[in-house]
Amino acid sequence: YKCCNKFLEAHYMENTQKTYTIGEWLDTWLMDYASPMLRSSTIQNYLYARKRLDKHYPNIENITLETLTPLDFQRMLNALASVYSKSSVAHIKVVYCEAYQEAVRNNICFCNPIREVQIPKHAARKKVSGMTIPEQDAFESVLTQLSFMDHCMILTYLLTGLRRNELRNLRWKDWNSKQDYIQVCESKTTTGIRNIPIIPQVTSILHTLAQRKSCEYIFHVNGEKMTDGHIRYICTKVSRIAGIRHVTPHMLRHTFASRLFESDAGLKSLAEILGRTDPAFTLKTYVTVSQKHLAEQMRKLIRK
């Protein structure tokens, strides 16, 4: 007990006497506070936010925590709003605000200069659109050039509307082969924990993969769960071969939502399948209506 007290006292004195640079404190905060508490994907997003700010303001990590002023950070965000979407700028603010808040709790600095900084109103909202029907046709037509596992993974992604990490985390025990649904046991939200009915094409994919099962995860690379990087690489590769615009993994989820909506799925059903709570938000965020579908809707006005 005495040793523990001495250690804590020495640690307290070290922290209160040391002057941290922003870069040094971010390293400490990420290792001691963020990493033990948050998902690895969230930590990766924090690192992306840090990298974005450092790319445009490389000197920020060399200044001390006490040196940064609210005006300094506000000017940075104002400039970044011309480069990144509103959500990306907001994410940068969140990361630095949380790091500073922990520094205040540890008596390493007196105040948090990020707290009252505002997200610029002129920052553009990020809009992810699904593939058009011709793009999707071209995308799917070249999937046979992939390995069998990657081919199955991409098709399942397109035909289920799963989030990327939901897809990566799918295990064989999550597939109910008798009732034809997959159970999402790990998701970013509680609403994301759900059962998704699957169509015969996905059932066929799973039965085929089950015959060569060698891992607890349905989709894997050499027995290891697929990484985010691998899925991004495959999407980039396929879109390049297909000769269409760059397709990100998240666009596959949006493509699924758009096709399901065009098939006259109800908004409540669409939201539940995607693991969202608000049907209106789901429609606004995920659905890009094709010109073909709009034309079909307009033809309903024609009197017979």
Side-chain angles (χ1 to χ4, degrees):
Y1 177 77
K2 290 182 178 178
C3 290
C4 183
N5 275 345
K6 287 181 179 179
F7 169 78
L8 291 174
E9 184 178 332
H11 186 65
Y12 175 80
M13 292 300 294
E14 178 186 350
N15 278 342
T16 53
Q17 291 175 6
K18 176 170 180 170
T19 301
Y20 282 86
T21 65
I22 290 177
E24 288 172 339
W25 177 246
L26 280 172
D27 289 338
T28 300
W29 171 72
L30 284 167
M31 180 176 66
D32 294 330
Y33 286 99
S35 293
M37 306 297 175
L38 303 172
R39 292 192 187 98
S40 59
S41 58
T42 303
I43 297 301
Q44 194 62 48
N45 288 334
Y46 279 17
L47 292 174
Y48 286 148
R50 181 180 178 181
K51 185 176 181 180
R52 287 188 182 107
L53 186 60
D54 184 60
K55 176 181 177 181
H56 295 276
Y57 297 95
N59 190 49
I60 186 172
E61 299 218 343
N62 297 325
I63 66 177
T64 61
L65 287 171
E66 293 288 358
T67 303
L68 187 69
T69 68
L71 179 59
D72 292 332
F73 205 78
Q74 184 68 66
R75 286 173 172 170
M76 292 179 195
L77 292 192
N78 291 346
L80 291 174
S82 302
V83 181
Y84 299 113
S85 68
K86 181 169 285 188
S87 60
S88 295
V89 175
H91 197 207
I92 291 170
K93 177 188 172 181
V94 165
V95 171
Y96 283 82
C97 188
E98 289 185 5
Y100 257 99
Q101 195 58 36
E102 210 57 62
V104 172
R105 288 195 195 100
N106 281 276
N107 298 314
I108 293 171
C109 64
F110 293 108
C111 66
N112 180 354
I114 314 297
R115 183 186 293 277
E116 302 302 325
V117 171
Q118 302 296 310
I119 305 301
K121 292 184 177 180
H122 69 274
R125 291 192 177 275
K126 185 177 182 180
K127 175 65 176 174
V128 178
S129 61
M131 289 183 280
T132 64
I133 293 176
E135 285 175 333
Q136 185 176 350
D137 289 341
F139 188 89
E140 292 188 32
S141 70
V142 301
L143 292 180
T144 53
Q145 299 184 40
L146 301 175
S147 71
F148 182 71
M149 179 61 71
D150 288 337
H151 184 176
C152 292
M153 178 270 295
I154 290 292
L155 269 183
T156 303
Y157 207 154
L158 266 171
L159 298 174
T160 59
L162 290 164
R163 295 179 174 92
R164 183 168 58 223
N165 281 333
E166 292 172 351
L167 183 82
R168 292 177 58 236
N169 290 327
L170 274 183
R171 294 172 169 87
W172 285 109
K173 65 181 179 64
D174 301 326
W175 173 39
N176 188 317
S177 58
K178 293 182 179 179
Q179 298 183 35
D180 262 354
Y181 70 81
I182 51 179
Q183 183 178 20
V184 179
C185 300
E186 299 179 47
S187 184
K188 65 185 290 186
T189 65
T190 54
T191 311
I193 307 301
R194 64 201 187 279
N195 293 337
I196 302 178
I198 54 177
I199 63 175
Q201 190 174 355
V202 176
T203 300
S204 177
I205 289 171
L206 295 179
H207 276 298
T208 304
L209 287 174
Q211 294 174 6
R212 51 178 84 181
K213 181 169 37 173
S214 61
C215 176
E216 66 171 318
Y217 293 101
I218 295 177
F219 303 108
H220 60 90
V221 177
N222 298 323
E224 298 290 335
K225 181 170 67 172
M226 281 191 178
T227 64
D228 285 339
H230 180 79
I231 298 175
R232 287 196 299 270
Y233 167 75
I234 293 301
C235 288
T236 299
K237 177 180 178 180
V238 174
S239 52
R240 185 179 66 249
I241 295 173
I244 60 176
R245 63 192 166 114
H246 178 241
V247 174
T248 65
H250 197 51
M251 285 173 64
L252 301 187
R253 181 166 154 88
H254 284 251
T255 300
F256 166 84
S258 298
R259 297 295 91 82
L260 194 60
F261 175 80
E262 291 167 357
S263 300
D264 294 325
L267 289 183
K268 175 121 177 105
S269 297
L270 177 60
E272 290 192 7
I273 290 172
L274 291 175
R276 305 296 310 193
T277 54
D278 184 358
F281 175 85
T282 303
L283 177 64
K284 178 181 177 181
T285 305
Y286 285 94
V287 174
T288 304
V289 182
S290 68
Q291 287 297 313
K292 179 181 178 182
H293 181 72
L294 291 175
E296 289 173 352
Q297 298 305 303
M298 290 298 289
R299 281 196 288 272
K300 293 179 179 179
L301 291 173
I302 300 175
R303 295 182 178 181
K304 296 182 180 180

